[in-house]
Each structure stands twice: as C-alpha cells, then as structure tokens.
Amino acid sequence: MITIKNAEELQKMREAGRIVAEVFELMREKIAPGITTAELNMAAERLIAKRHAKPLFKGYNGFPAALCVSVNDEVIHGIPGPRKLKEGDIVSIDVGAQIHGYCGDAARTFPVGEVKPEVAELLRVTEASLYAGIEMAVAGNRLGDIGNRIQTVAEAHGLGVVVDYVGHGIGRNLHEAPDVPNYGRPGRGLRLVNGMTLAIEPMLNMGTPAVRTLADGWTVVTLDGLPSAHFENTVAITPDGPVLLTVL
Ligand code: MG
C-alpha cells in the first residue's frame, strides 16, 4: 500500500532523517585507514541510541547491525566486522533510523584517503545520478521519470545500473510500496502525488551491473569484482517540489 503523509508525519520523518544525516557526519570524521567496519557500526549505534531512536536495520530479517557497511566491490548489505579499511578503499554506509514511529533511510559512499581518479568519478557520478532522479520527484511525474534520469546519467558515464535491487516507499515502515527502480522509461509507471515519501537509491557499478550474494546470505557484490557506489536519500514529494528528509 502506498501511504500519503500529512505535514505532521513528514515532520516526524524529517526528525528521523536528521538523525540519519548525523550518522554520516560521524562517519565522515571516523572513516580512515585502519578503522574496522565494526567500529564504525558501534559508533553509529551509540549516536542513534543517544537520540532515542531505533536503528532500523538491526534485526531486520535477522541483520545483525545498525549499519550496512559495503567496501569496494561490495554493493549493499555488507555486515560490519573485523575488516580494516585501507587507503584507496571506498566504503558505502547505509543506515535507517526510526523515531516517533517514522523512518528515515539513506546511504553515502565515502573514499578512504586518496582513491584512484576513476573511483572518485564513480562516487561523483553516482551521487549526481541520485540528485538527477530526485529532481523528477514532483507530483504529476511518474516513477519512470525518476528511474530514467538516474539511468541516463549512469549510462552517459559508462556505469552499470544495478537492477536486482531498487529503492522503495518509506514511512512508518522501512520498506513500503512502491518499488523505485533506478531505470525506466519517461512518462511510464505510477503517477507521483504530494505526500508520497520515497527512498531513492542508485547503486552504480564501474563494470557489469550483474551482482551476486556471498555465502553469508547478505553481502551483495559485483560479479566482476569492480567497485560499486551507493547514494540514497529519503525524499518527500510536496507542492514546493522534492524535499530531502535525510539531511542535517
Ligand atoms: Mg533504502
């Protein structure tokens, strides 16, 4: 079911989204060669607890942590652990928080120290594709308009759009209808209306868009081992245009 939020509900989602954005500020400070992905998760869990919010991913279908931490060729759903980040790595942090019954969900990919120019470009283009998609999150447009924009930016730079995983509606629940693909045809798909809230989240690969899941049952990696980036925001469709909920 697609849920339409009123102003009061959007305010609660904004509060959840601000906590998610605070986690990224903390990550930006902490991410450096030598830190483990488990240490990043612990720091995030402490911050979310301090804000009296609920870490949405922890326990979700049995996922063991507040953060998904995905390094280099890991696309999404990486499990925090003893792995130490190294100079030149990239690390995708995906986090969800719930407060007053409402959710925020977002992701960023961070460079660890200096990364190769083509890797920096992957991060830059993936973030740009997210914002190109968000621009289309306007009442009267259709879901295909969002996906098409993301796909167009990705393909113009020779990047692979992951199609096995997509964005989603969000509200009281982390995952609500509709699916929000990162590809599509302009003017096709569900018509967008004010009060919808969508988690838009392109996952772009330097090489093939094909992915597989590791034996841990969670970690999704690129089939060719090349790096992948992930940027996501929770966005409200409003009469004033798209409003980012997962920012400070
Ligand atoms: Mg999401």
Side-chain angles (χ1 to χ4, degrees), residues 117-128:
E118 64 268 32
V119 173
E121 174 80 350
L122 170 70
L123 269 48
R124 190 190 67 74
V125 174
T126 306
E127 186 171 25

Side-chain angles (χ1 to χ4, degrees), residues 58-113:
K58 198 168 183 174
Y60 191 92
N61 291 332
F63 191 80
L67 298 184
C68 294
V69 185
S70 308
V71 181
N72 295 339
D73 64 319
E74 297 173 353
V75 180
I76 48 168
H77 302 167
I79 301 172
R83 180 175 186 165
K84 280 191 163 89
L85 297 179
K86 300 189 314 288
E87 178 84 19
D89 284 347
I90 54 171
V91 58
S92 299
I93 306 284
D94 194 349
V95 59
Q98 185 182 43
I99 195 158
H100 311 311
Y102 287 83
C103 302
D105 180 14
R108 311 276 185 262
T109 302
F110 298 91
V112 183

Side-chain angles (χ1 to χ4, degrees), residues 120-232:
E121 174 80 350
L122 170 70
L123 269 48
R124 190 190 67 74
V125 174
T126 306
E127 186 171 25
S129 78
L130 168 62
Y131 284 95
I134 287 172
E135 267 181 29
M136 302 306 279
V138 173
N141 282 353
R142 291 176 180 270
L143 272 180
D145 295 314
I146 296 177
N148 181 261
R149 275 294 190 90
I150 293 170
Q151 180 179 13
T152 301
V153 171
E155 290 177 354
H157 292 85
L159 299 177
V161 178
V162 173
V163 299
D164 291 4
Y165 297 88
V166 296
H168 49 93
I170 179 170
R172 282 190 168 276
N173 300 299
L174 173 61
H175 293 120
E176 297 186 354
D179 282 350
V180 182
N182 298 305
Y183 53 89
R185 292 165 64 185
R188 296 300 181 93
L190 182 80
R191 191 180 287 280
L192 306 177
V193 302
N194 290 321
M196 276 184 188
T197 45
L198 304 176
I200 303 175
E201 50 173 321
M203 292 147 261
L204 303 187
N205 296 350
M206 192 178 280
T208 176
V211 297
R212 66 187 174 93
T213 305
L214 297 185
D216 64 17
W218 280 106
T219 313
V220 175
V221 299
T222 59
L223 205 57
D224 58 11
L226 290 175
S228 181
H230 182 203
F231 282 83
E232 174 182 24

